[in-house]
Amino acid sequence: MKAPLALAALLILGGVLCVPPVSAASLPSAASLPSAASLPSAPPLPQARSSADIPPLPATLTGKEASSGADRAAGAESAAAADAAGPMPGLSDLSQLARRLDSEAPSTLATPIKIVLLLTLLSVIPAALMLTTAFTRIVIVLAFVRQALTTRNIPPNQVIVGLALFLSLFVMAPTLRRINTEAIQPYLSKSIGADEALDKGVKPLRDFMFAQTGESELALFVQMGGVEQPQTRADVPTYVLIPAFVISELKTAFQLGFVLFLPFLVVDLIVASVLMSMGMIMLPPVMISAPLKILLFVLVDGWHLITQSLVFSFGGV
């Protein structure tokens, strides 16, 4: 064993010694190198546009305002009107809609192509529904609550997403009733075509997004998209409205999350100060503050308050 190891060491040493040395004279001098002034300059970067450069939109485009008693009353009136208009679509309506769409599908498409198109729609539709409904704001606020309580994975992700889903269904109930009354039922009764049903079905969803979208976010995407200055809501394309709505929902969700963090932050500060004054610097404050925060959250009926605040943040249902 020692002979092969010694032979390998000699081979490696010989390879190192056989490398020709590099003299300083063979290196290029500093004078022969190109100067910085002779190098081509990079093109100037375009200046970023500030928010002051974005032209304001007409006040009639957006309806997002601070929640008040009048907004809640208006939301209650719209919910009552939706209840009087008709029920929400059921599973039988969805099955009839699928059969109607299959009967109107082009006969020239082969069955594998139809399956691929169906699978593509099934993968895109959930993401589109999450980003055009109340789901984004609700799930982010619930995640903030769990983070503020420092309970790690309690409640678990499945519970957070499930609660956000059903709260979104509760908030979107008036909009779904309008879609069912104005688009789905007339289409199932064959009184309108598919294109007209799509236009009428998108209008209630656009009205909901307009009511929750801030003016600055909408103006930003109108300016970046190169769209002409809109005068009415119908002039705003849907591909401009959806990202503006999502950004506005993220902004509102983070504002609510900041307000939720404040009382729990006060508890952490009090516990840390008490432990420091008692000389218990080796004891992690989270071990004492976590049970106190859970107790405080239960005593004030936190889930009731958070659910009520989330629903009323959309103007009431």
Side-chain angles (χ1 to χ4, degrees):
M1 288 297 293
K2 293 184 179 180
L5 290 177
L7 181 60
L10 289 175
L11 290 176
I12 295 174
L13 183 61
V16 172
L17 295 177
C18 291
V19 176
V22 179
S23 62
S26 62
L27 296 177
S29 62
S32 63
L33 296 176
S35 61
S38 62
L39 296 176
S41 60
L45 297 175
Q47 296 182 354
R49 297 175 65 93
S50 61
S51 58
D53 299 333
I54 301 176
L57 295 178
T60 56
L61 286 181
T62 57
K64 185 177 182 180
E65 299 174 354
S67 59
S68 60
D71 296 334
R72 297 175 186 176
E77 292 177 0
S78 62
D83 289 335
M88 294 176 59
L91 294 178
S92 60
D93 297 330
L94 296 179
S95 62
Q96 294 179 17
L97 180 62
R99 287 196 297 269
R100 176 78 190 276
L101 290 174
D102 183 68
S103 63
E104 291 188 358
S107 57
T108 56
L109 294 178
T111 301
I113 298 179
K114 291 182 180 180
I115 294 176
V116 171
L117 293 177
L118 180 60
L119 293 177
T120 304
L121 288 176
L122 289 178
S123 61
V124 172
I125 287 177
L129 291 179
M130 289 180 185
L131 296 180
T132 55
T133 60
F135 181 84
T136 302
R137 183 190 306 184
I138 294 174
V139 74
I140 291 177
V141 171
L142 294 179
F144 267 119
V145 172
R146 184 176 64 179
Q147 186 73 18
L149 287 172
T150 61
T151 54
R152 296 186 180 180
N153 293 327
I154 299 175
N157 292 330
Q158 293 84 350
V159 176
I160 294 293
V161 174
L163 179 59
L165 181 62
F166 283 101
L167 282 179
S168 304
L169 184 63
F170 178 79
V171 172
M172 299 297 298
T175 304
L176 294 177
R177 292 191 188 101
R178 284 187 57 192
I179 294 175
N180 182 43
T181 304
E182 299 175 8
I184 296 179
Q185 294 301 329
Y187 179 71
L188 293 178
S189 61
K190 298 183 179 181
S191 59
I192 59 175
D195 295 337
E196 186 177 357
L198 181 61
D199 294 337
K200 290 186 175 181
V202 170
K203 187 179 181 303
L205 197 59
R206 283 171 56 91
D207 293 340
F208 172 80
M209 288 190 289
F210 270 118
Q212 307 300 328
T213 304
E215 182 179 353
S216 60
E217 289 82 7
L218 189 59
L220 172 65
F221 282 95
V222 167
Q223 183 267 335
M224 289 194 303
V227 182
E228 296 183 0
Q229 188 74 2
Q231 301 300 325
T232 61
R233 291 183 174 183
D235 298 335
V236 180
T238 304
Y239 72 89
V240 172
L241 176 59
I242 291 178
F245 168 75
V246 174
I247 296 299
S248 184
E249 287 292 285
L250 292 174
K251 177 182 177 181
T252 305
F254 274 73
Q255 290 173 350
L256 294 174
F258 171 75
V259 174
L260 287 171
F261 254 98
L262 288 180
F264 300 109
L265 179 61
V266 172
V267 174
D268 286 332
L269 291 176
I270 294 175
V271 171
S273 300
V274 171
L275 293 179
M276 185 68 67
S277 63
M278 296 175 63
M280 305 173 64
I281 59 176
M282 300 301 294
L283 179 64
V286 69
M287 294 184 62
I288 307 299
S289 62
L292 293 179
K293 287 190 285 188
I294 295 175
L295 178 62
L296 175 65
F297 190 74
V298 172
L299 289 178
V300 299
D301 201 359
W303 292 115
H304 173 84
L305 295 176
I306 290 173
T307 304
Q308 185 180 20
S309 300
L310 279 173
V311 173
F312 283 153
S313 68
F314 292 97
V317 180

